[in-house]
Amino acid sequence: LAPQCEKSWGAIMILRALRKLFVELALPAILFTVLYQLSANSTNFYFPALSAVLKQFNALWLGPRFFADVLPSLERLTAGYLIACISGIALGIPIGMYAPLRRILEPVLEFFRAIPPVAMIPLLIVSMGFGNSMKITIIVAGSIWPILLNTVEGVKAADQVLSETCQTYGIRGMARLRHFIIPSASPQIIVGMRLGLSIGIVLMVISEMFAALDGLGSAIIYFQRSYEISQMWSGVLMLGIFGFSLSFIFRLFEKWALHWYYGMRDLERKS
């Protein structure tokens, strides 16, 4: 009976995954089909037929331009995003744990958070040039804030009873940080990381549009200035696929990192 039960459970899980995938992809597929049909006879120079855009997509982005533009963008985003995650979490934990430190730093943090990262691009171009350092800095400057602030709030919201229990049992220092603070704040930290990734993608494109010889943003601007509209729309389509793919990968990471949290929520719902 045991092998049969395992096979049945495996089949059920596969069916659930397929049903979830169908639900998630149904609306995009419908919208894509409708747009394809509506734009089939388009004569508008600025809104070409989707078939023409797909033709350019195959010619451009499934060839050398993938390595020439998509990979440099991915490298910049990865570098900036990882720096933002490490810095935001490393700063957010002590700020959230110690109220005096939080009171001292809050005015400064609020001041810098209010400055749009895009406004810093001219200054960074003058001081750092047009290289990758400038673009990575812009990504860090925008992505760090949701990570930092959500880390602070997650640490502040740690369960007081559990905190007192740790003190009672003498759990302090790194042991308290590892086994209580970080797990308690991790759901909110992950939320900040998700927001930071979205902001990072936007800033990656904007920084490349301002000053870059390669990357998705640079390619889109080049096609727009050359009046190669189908190619420009193919770049926008590539950017959408780029963002969707990163979002999907992040969801897998989130499920892996918070599997215990989702398991607890499922048990609470069942009870």
Side-chain angles (χ1 to χ4, degrees):
L1 291 174
Q4 292 179 353
C5 290
E6 288 180 1
K7 289 181 180 178
S8 300
W9 178 249
I12 291 171
M13 294 299 293
I14 292 172
L15 287 173
R16 286 180 178 175
L18 289 174
R19 184 176 64 181
K20 185 177 180 181
L21 182 64
F22 174 77
V23 170
E24 291 181 353
L25 296 180
L27 182 58
I30 292 170
L31 292 175
F32 186 86
T33 304
V34 171
L35 181 60
Y36 191 92
Q37 295 297 327
L38 291 177
S39 66
N41 299 317
S42 175
T43 56
N44 190 315
F45 178 75
Y46 298 103
F47 298 97
L50 184 55
S51 57
V53 174
L54 293 175
K55 183 178 179 181
Q56 293 297 334
F57 183 90
N58 292 334
L60 292 171
W61 304 107
L62 300 183
R65 270 200 176 270
F66 181 86
F67 300 97
D69 289 313
V70 178
L71 290 187
S73 292
L74 181 60
E75 289 172 1
R76 293 167 189 140
L77 177 64
T78 302
Y81 180 66
L82 288 178
I83 293 171
C85 287
I86 294 169
S87 304
I89 295 170
L91 291 171
I93 289 174
I95 294 172
M97 289 176 65
Y98 303 109
L101 180 62
R102 193 161 58 247
R103 285 194 294 270
I104 292 170
L105 293 178
E106 264 185 353
V108 178
L109 294 177
E110 288 297 325
F111 174 79
F112 283 108
R113 187 171 72 92
I115 300 174
V118 178
M120 297 171 59
I121 292 180
L123 174 63
L124 291 176
I125 289 175
V126 172
S127 59
M128 302 179 72
F130 295 95
N132 286 336
S133 299
M134 181 273 290
K135 301 172 185 65
I136 291 170
T137 302
I138 287 295
I139 293 170
V140 173
S143 300
I144 193 172
W145 295 111
I147 301 169
L148 172 61
L149 297 176
N150 275 275
T151 301
V152 171
E153 291 303 317
V155 172
K156 281 171 57 181
D159 190 280
Q160 191 62 33
V161 175
L162 290 177
S163 178
E164 292 172 359
T165 303
C166 288
Q167 292 179 355
T168 302
Y169 284 95
I171 302 174
R172 297 183 178 87
M174 291 302 297
R176 183 171 184 268
L177 181 66
R178 180 182 175 187
H179 297 292
F180 171 59
I181 297 295
I182 293 179
S184 177
S186 57
Q188 200 149 349
I189 293 174
I190 293 291
V191 171
M193 291 173 65
R194 190 191 307 129
L195 294 172
L197 179 60
S198 301
I199 294 171
I201 293 172
V202 173
L203 293 174
M204 174 202 76
V205 176
I206 292 174
S207 66
E208 290 174 348
M209 286 180 171
F210 266 86
L213 297 176
D214 56 16
L216 281 167
S218 174
I220 292 171
I221 280 293
Y222 172 79
F223 292 136
Q224 180 261 327
R225 289 173 178 170
S226 303
Y227 290 93
E228 299 176 272
I229 304 301
S230 296
Q231 291 88 329
M232 183 196 74
W233 280 111
S234 74
V236 174
L237 179 60
M238 183 67 239
L239 182 59
I241 294 172
F242 180 87
F244 177 82
S245 301
L246 291 178
S247 177
F248 179 77
I249 293 170
F250 188 86
R251 284 171 59 186
L252 295 178
F253 164 75
E254 182 178 354
K255 288 181 180 179
W256 170 78
L258 298 179
H259 65 277
W260 59 271
Y261 175 71
Y262 292 120
M264 288 174 57
R265 288 206 313 182
D266 290 340
L267 288 174
E268 290 175 359
R269 288 171 184 171
K270 291 177 182 178
S271 61

